Each structure stands twice: as C-alpha cells, then as structure tokens.
Amino acid sequence: TVQVGEDETKVGGCFGDLREVFFQEPVVEPIVAVTPCFVVELCLPGILAALEACPTERCRLVPELPSPPASHIRFVRDGEIPFFSECSDSFLQACFEDAQDRIVPPNGVVIEEGTAGEEMYILMSGALEVIKGSDKVAEMTGGEVIGELACFGLMSRRDATVRATSTSVLMVVMRDSVLGTMRNKEHRKEVDRFQAMLQRLALNYFEVAIHHRISNCPFFMGFSGAFVTTMAMHAKQKLILPHQVIETDGLVILNRGRVAVEYEGQELGRLPEGSYFGPTVMLRIHKR
C-alpha cells in the first residue's frame, strides 16, 4: 500500500499520469510506501517504443491527441497557421486524410540533416531547435511547419536537423496526400496560392544555386565566368508543380526535382536535377 497525499492506493492501483510522463511535469504530491511495495514503473522510452510499434493506440493512450482528419483541421483553424490560411475545409480534409500524430521526447530527432524525406510536419505542441552542421540556427514553437519543400518534392534530402527541446507532438502530413489533392481541379484556388507561396520559398532557398547550375550545364561548358554571371542575372525562375506542363520559349535547366518527357501521351523517360532541354527553342531554331 502507498499513500498519495491524503489517499491510499492498494495493490493494482495506478498513480502518476501521462502529463508527468510525456511533458515531464513534476509530481505535486509525495508518494510514500505504507507497506513494503514492489512496483512496475512505466517511463517515457518504453511508452514511446510501444506507440511506435502500435500507432493506432496513440489516441487511446493520449486522448487529447487529435484523430485525423477532422481534429487536425480544427487545430489548423484554431491555430491560424499561415501556411494553410485561406484553404477550404475540403482541401484540408484531403491533405490530412493519411496524417498521423507523432510524439517526440526531449532530444529526440524529428528530421536529420542529409537524410531523404518527403513528409511535412506541423508542430502541435512542444518546442524544437533547428541545427545546420554543428550550429543552432533557429527555434520553433507550436503551429510552425517543417519540411514543406521536401513534401512538395523541391528537396530530395533534409538540409537541417530538427530536434525536440521538450516533449513535442507533431502532425505528419504525407506527400502523396498533398500532391494528390492538388491534382484535383476543384482546388484550383489553393493550388494557385501554394504555387505562389512555394515560388517565394524556393527563391530564398535556391537562388545561390543558379550560377552553379548554369556553369555546370553541359551546353555552357567552356563559356567565360562573365558570360555565365550575366546569364544568371537575367535568368527567370519558375516553380512547376507535379503534372503541370512546362511551357517555355527558352532553354530550361532543372534546378530541383524531376520531369517526365512525354510524346503523344506516352512517357519516354525522366530527367534528373541538372538536366536541360530547349536550346534550339532558345536560339529560335525550333518552336516550343
């Protein structure tokens, strides 16, 4: 028998709660053995391991965690998350159809620099730090979005490590759900908005790579540095979403992502990052 405050708990009783485990809040009342006791202690690593093995039990164990997708939509609406502002409920419903909740303990890694990944994360509670190399470059709190460029296919590998500084709950959004939703013509408004927003993000992330891409393009091998620099200054940057046709009047260098080459509805092959096409169109030898 143990005494918890003014109450006694006998054999088979349980004390301590999940908030003390997950969020490491201190136990307010002392727990004192009244008789010799043999106890079973369940700590955070064991609970997290069980949740990873049986993810469907998350909402049963931690009722306050939302169940996708309706509660996820409510969280986005209540939190006024800018990334998803102006999105319709039907759009969010489709994007979050396969979303999952993930609990990360303090010092747990959400994403690791240099690794492949295609999920996007929304921080629902807790706190994270962003590390590039050995330097801490940012901190994140509830409502922030992580990995959006990878989710949309603009990055094949993570460019930073994100680690929890306190027990954190994240919503994991799958790339296939997002891109599949954006192919639906009913969501034209959201697609146009995301395209403009991602274009701005891509400009911030990849602008320094333009000169490198042009100088390493086989078509421009041997050209002077001054020529390449001038070309880079006049280059136009466009964001093309999956399944959109690339229409151009010039040479196109694929800075990020992959494209499919099609002829009369048949896919002939795919081009990787760094590939180029359209030099004769640029020189007005052929029409596009």
Side-chain angles (χ1 to χ4, degrees), residues 31-267:
I31 301 169
V32 181
V34 177
T35 65
C37 298
F38 183 71
V39 301
V40 177
E41 184 180 15
L42 300 177
C43 296
L44 184 60
I47 293 176
L48 291 175
L51 287 175
E52 290 297 324
C54 307
T56 57
E57 301 293 339
R58 290 173 189 247
C59 292
R60 185 190 304 273
L61 181 64
V62 190
E64 65 266 29
L65 289 183
S67 300
S71 294
H72 286 154
I73 295 174
R74 190 161 54 249
F75 173 81
V76 168
R77 292 281 185 243
D78 292 345
E80 299 180 350
I81 298 175
F83 193 82
F84 291 102
S85 64
E86 302 178 23
C87 292
S88 66
D89 282 357
S90 61
F91 179 84
L92 295 176
Q93 171 92 15
C95 282
F96 298 161
E97 189 65 37
D98 297 322
Q100 300 175 355
D101 298 322
R102 181 177 170 189
I103 303 170
V104 183
N107 296 317
V109 174
V110 179
I111 59 176
E112 186 172 358
E113 185 175 4
T115 60
E118 56 184 40
E119 302 88 1
M120 174 169 55
Y121 298 86
I122 302 172
L123 180 58
M124 301 176 70
S125 66
L128 308 171
E129 60 181 2
V130 182
I131 300 169
K132 285 195 173 187
S134 58
D135 298 325
K136 177 179 174 180
V137 296
E139 295 180 347
M140 296 181 142
T141 53
E144 298 203 51
V145 178
I146 307 140
E148 63 274 24
L149 291 178
C151 182
F152 283 91
L154 292 173
M155 298 182 70
S156 57
R157 296 194 173 275
R158 307 294 191 182
D159 67 339
T161 294
V162 177
R163 185 162 49 206
T165 54
S166 66
T167 300
S168 303
V169 180
L170 301 103
M171 182 199 315
V172 187
V173 182
M174 307 302 177
R175 176 190 288 176
D176 288 346
S177 295
V178 175
L179 296 186
T181 303
M182 296 186 76
R183 288 197 292 269
N184 190 328
K185 294 181 180 179
E186 295 180 2
H187 302 307
R188 185 71 255 173
K189 175 184 173 183
E190 284 90 351
V191 170
D192 290 344
R193 178 183 170 278
F194 270 111
Q195 189 156 11
M197 180 173 57
L198 290 168
Q199 171 108 2
R200 292 192 296 271
L201 286 173
L203 285 174
N204 292 333
Y205 271 85
F206 305 133
E207 188 170 13
V208 294
I210 296 174
H211 188 280
H212 172 77
R213 283 297 187 196
I214 295 176
S215 63
N216 284 276
C217 176
F219 187 80
F220 294 112
M221 284 295 181
F223 284 77
S224 68
F227 178 87
V228 171
T229 299
T230 304
M231 288 286 290
M233 291 172 59
H234 290 82
K236 297 179 181 179
Q237 299 179 74
K238 293 182 180 180
L239 175 71
I240 311 296
L241 295 176
H243 301 282
Q244 289 183 338
V245 176
I246 301 177
E247 298 180 350
T248 178
D249 292 321
L251 180 144
V252 174
I253 301 174
L254 189 58
N255 197 3
R256 287 291 189 277
R258 294 180 300 165
V259 298
V261 180
E262 296 182 353
Y263 180 73
E264 295 184 349
Q266 297 294 318
E267 184 175 313

